[in-house]
Amino acid sequence: MSDRAVVELAEVWKVFDTGGRRVEALQAVSLAVARNEFAAILGPSGCGKSTLLNMVAGFDAPTRGSVLFDGEPVRAPDPRRAVVFQEPALFPWYTVLDNVTFGLRTRGLPAASYRARVEAFIEQVGLRGFEAHYPAELSGGMKQRVGIARVLVMEPDVLLMDEPFGSLDAQTRSLMQELLLSVWERHQQTVLFVTHDIEEALLLADSVSVMTARPGRIKKRLAVELPRPRSLEVTTSPFFNDLKREVLALIREESVKAAAYGPETR
Amino acid sequence: MRRLWPALLPLAFLGLWTLAVEQRWVTEGIIPSPLQVARSWQRWIFGSPVKSLSPYSGTWLAAVLYSSRRVLQGFLLAAAVGIPLGLFVGWNRLVARLVDPSIQLLRPVPITAWLPFAIAVFGIYDASALFLIGLGAFYPIVVNTTHGVRDTNLLLLRAARMMGAGEATILTKVVFRSALPSIFTGLRLGIGIAWTAVIVAEMIAVKSGLGYVLWDAYYVGRMDICVATMLSVGLLGFVSDRALQLLSRVVLKWRTLEAHA
């Protein structure tokens, strides 16, 4: 499995030391994401799933264990491991177009070499006509679409998504999920997707790793063998509901534990 | 009425001033009436410098240009040093620990207290004036730039890094841009101090400009010219601040959109 894994975590521990107080965020987490796999990590709030993603991104280092990308240890952020944050994190002083091309410009590529690709991605995420707008003029969902387009144009090896639709309203979230499905089905990008939303994880992913409450461990990894292309309708199928029931039971155990032990969980 | 409302207080003040002079509530011959000031000011601006007996006649523009040039030079010098330095102090902890204590230690020394030192080092020349103006404007610029840099959103830094940005790109495309609103605050405070500094410097360290005219007119008992000078400086300070505000509105267009969102 390690041969084909794009991202591989082996026995990863993360301990935060905040003002003399030790907080174990992750405990012996092992995980492998294969090429072209859409992998979801599902867990209650404060279980350390964002910490996990930050380590794969290179924003944070593990206390123990190894985080590998393409067989090499992760040391720093890299455009081959692109991140979509929970907040859009757009540069407010740049227009939509300049935000989308930031990574390409940073690499020093001539505008002519990517113009067509950028246009195609802007079209795909439904931002056509908004190229000259500033982020302040966009809705939450549109901002997040810019956040997705700007990493897709870089053609990264893996897409790291940290509850990217978490702050959107339910209706926008469904639209964004459908959008992500259609984009993924076209490009088959390797994705590591963190969420606390069971339906979201099952709808989008090929595999769902359920995490425990803090300290976070991977409790179970389930394969989501739903046919593709998928759409929102799949969420009403009996098979989907069986999966959901299974995950729900796993999650409930953890939520109960979190409520009992975790005064510091948000 | 609505448009007159803001003019009400200045008009009342002018009325009271006129009354005070006419009723001799103030010592006669020392405080001029508003009308006298206006007449002297007009002669100072438009009078012929050759035919007139008054040494001030027609010299206003020259004095204004001297002072403005000094303010502009000192201010640009302060910005050219203060903005990059503030960026590095805010960005790099090592630079901060090296430079910040010195800045904080020297900052409470008023620029007026630097006058003798400036004259001793630079003499009665422009350099003295530029030193004082530059130094006065430098502090708010460097302090506000530093503050703006430290306020940069961590998430935006991470976003830039994951898109492959190196230190130089992050500093120029993210940190500087994010600190710009704060930098403009520093620039506006700086130009205000620059106008204070130019008057002080010209009173003592050089022999031209509005500050020199002010002190000279005081010595020869021309309070009308003194008042006209005060008003001129106030006007120039107002105009330069407005110019900066306008510039910031153009440069920070994204921010005005944010305020309306």
Side-chain angles (χ1 to χ4, degrees):
Chain A
M1 110 180 168
S2 62
D3 264 356
R4 293 182 50 208
V6 181
V7 173
E8 196 176 353
L9 286 85
E11 291 285 311
V12 168
W13 294 65
K14 182 69 188 178
V15 180
F16 288 108
D17 203 344
T18 45
R21 217 166 46 102
R22 270 170 54 95
V23 177
E24 262 188 4
L26 293 174
Q27 213 175 54
V29 170
S30 296
L31 177 79
V33 183
R35 196 167 297 284
N36 302 337
E37 181 185 349
F38 195 126
I41 294 178
L42 182 68
S45 300
C47 74
K49 53 193 191 298
S50 292
T51 307
L52 194 154
L53 200 84
N54 281 341
M55 288 192 293
V56 178
F59 298 141
D60 216 341
T63 311
R64 249 196 291 155
S66 63
V67 179
L68 302 179
F69 167 70
D70 255 350
E72 297 276 316
V74 169
R75 289 209 177 79
D78 190 297
R80 288 175 302 167
R81 283 172 274 119
V83 184
V84 179
F85 302 90
Q86 183 168 4
E87 316 275 320
L90 305 179
F91 302 117
W93 44 84
Y94 284 143
T95 59
V96 166
L97 185 66
D98 287 344
N99 265 293
V100 171
T101 57
F102 184 90
L104 303 164
R105 285 184 289 136
T106 296
R107 243 181 271 174
L109 301 172
S113 71
Y114 55 72
R115 189 169 294 134
R117 184 150 49 102
V118 167
E119 260 173 42
F121 275 112
I122 284 181
E123 172 89 57
Q124 258 181 63
V125 299
L127 284 167
R128 187 131 193 211
F130 290 94
E131 290 91 337
H133 284 58
Y134 285 91
E137 298 171 283
L138 305 179
S139 67
M142 287 169 92
K143 280 184 206 168
Q144 205 50 286
R145 278 185 259 169
V146 179
I148 292 171
R150 77 170 169 188
V151 292
L152 287 177
V153 295
M154 299 194 301
E155 297 183 322
D157 291 344
V158 58
L159 210 57
L160 307 172
M161 306 183 90
D162 186 4
E163 301 202 44
F165 312 138
S167 53
L168 303 175
D169 60 86
Q171 205 166 349
T172 314
R173 194 181 313 149
S174 303
L175 287 172
M176 296 294 291
Q177 288 163 352
E178 278 190 312
L179 176 81
L180 184 60
L181 271 179
S182 75
V183 169
W184 188 84
E185 266 142 22
R186 193 173 315 185
H187 303 278
Q188 303 247 318
Q189 193 101 50
T190 311
V191 179
L192 185 57
F193 190 100
V194 159
T195 182
H196 65 260
D197 183 329
I198 299 170
E199 287 203 10
E200 182 170 78
L202 294 176
L203 168 67
L204 298 172
D206 298 318
S207 75
V208 175
S209 301
V210 180
M211 282 187 75
T212 63
R214 185 185 293 166
R217 278 175 294 113
I218 298 210
K219 189 176 179 118
K220 190 163 186 189
R221 183 183 170 116
L222 299 138
V224 185
E225 277 151 353
L226 291 164
R228 292 194 186 262
R230 295 180 196 165
S231 69
L232 279 175
E233 274 94 80
V234 86
T235 58
T236 55
S237 73
F239 184 63
F240 187 93
N241 277 312
D242 288 345
L243 272 174
K244 190 176 162 186
R245 211 165 293 129
E246 191 182 346
V247 175
L248 211 55
L250 290 168
I251 287 273
R252 176 152 308 138
E253 277 175 39
E254 290 313 313
S255 305
V256 169
K257 260 191 235 166
Y261 297 118
E264 68 255 333
T265 37
R266 282 182 298 134
Chain B
M1 186 59 210
R2 203 167 267 251
R3 295 188 55 168
L4 232 61
W5 186 244
L8 210 61
L9 225 51
L11 284 174
F13 176 72
L14 284 177
L16 196 69
W17 179 2
T18 311
L19 204 67
V21 174
E22 273 174 9
Q23 299 294 313
R24 303 198 179 142
W25 296 341
V26 289
T27 322
E28 205 184 342
I30 291 193
I31 305 294
S33 73
L35 210 64
Q36 279 171 292
V37 171
R39 257 191 242 119
S40 302
W41 200 358
Q42 191 212 10
R43 216 170 302 136
W44 187 20
I45 299 173
F46 300 107
S48 150
V50 191
K51 285 180 208 156
S52 169
L53 288 172
S54 163
Y56 296 108
S57 190
T59 62
W60 183 79
L61 189 66
V64 164
L65 288 179
Y66 270 120
S67 298
S68 304
R69 200 204 65 222
R70 287 186 186 118
V71 163
L72 199 68
Q73 286 176 339
F75 174 73
L76 290 178
L77 196 71
V81 179
I83 295 174
L85 188 67
L87 281 175
F88 287 121
V89 170
W91 185 237
N92 189 304
R93 207 171 291 167
L94 227 57
V95 177
R97 285 179 60 187
L98 181 73
V99 181
D100 217 25
S102 307
I103 292 176
Q104 299 309 331
L105 215 68
L106 288 174
R107 197 156 68 106
V109 179
I111 42 147
T112 41
W114 281 95
L115 248 173
F117 175 84
I119 294 170
V121 174
F122 300 106
I124 313 272
Y125 299 109
D126 254 14
S128 276
L130 286 188
F131 171 76
L132 291 171
I133 297 161
L135 189 69
F138 166 76
Y139 292 124
I141 294 174
V142 75
V143 168
N144 279 283
T145 304
T146 303
H147 178 76
V149 169
R150 288 188 180 148
D151 257 6
T152 308
N153 187 347
L154 173 69
L155 208 55
L156 295 187
L157 296 176
R158 285 186 166 175
R161 289 210 175 98
M162 68 91 186
M163 286 190 277
E167 291 287 293
T169 307
I170 286 181
L171 213 52
T172 53
K173 303 262 169 70
V174 182
V175 173
F176 173 70
R177 296 298 294 264
S178 153
L180 257 184
S182 193
I183 290 173
F184 266 104
T185 305
L187 291 176
R188 285 182 63 190
L189 289 168
I191 205 142
I193 293 179
W195 280 106
T196 310
V198 78
I199 298 305
V200 174
E202 286 172 348
M203 277 177 165
I204 295 162
V206 284
K207 300 242 163 284
S208 57
L210 289 169
Y212 176 71
V213 171
L214 182 71
W215 207 231
D216 183 63
Y218 168 72
Y219 265 120
V220 299
R222 288 292 301 274
M223 199 46 74
D224 51 340
I225 295 294
C226 285
V227 175
T229 308
M230 286 163 61
L231 296 171
S232 305
V233 176
L235 207 68
L236 289 168
F238 176 78
V239 168
S240 53
D241 184 63
R242 261 324 178 62
L244 270 177
Q245 229 180 322
L246 233 70
L247 182 69
S248 88
R249 244 179 244 158
V250 175
V251 175
L252 303 175
K253 193 179 136 210
W254 57 272
R255 223 162 165 253
T256 52
L257 295 170
E258 230 165 35
H260 294 306

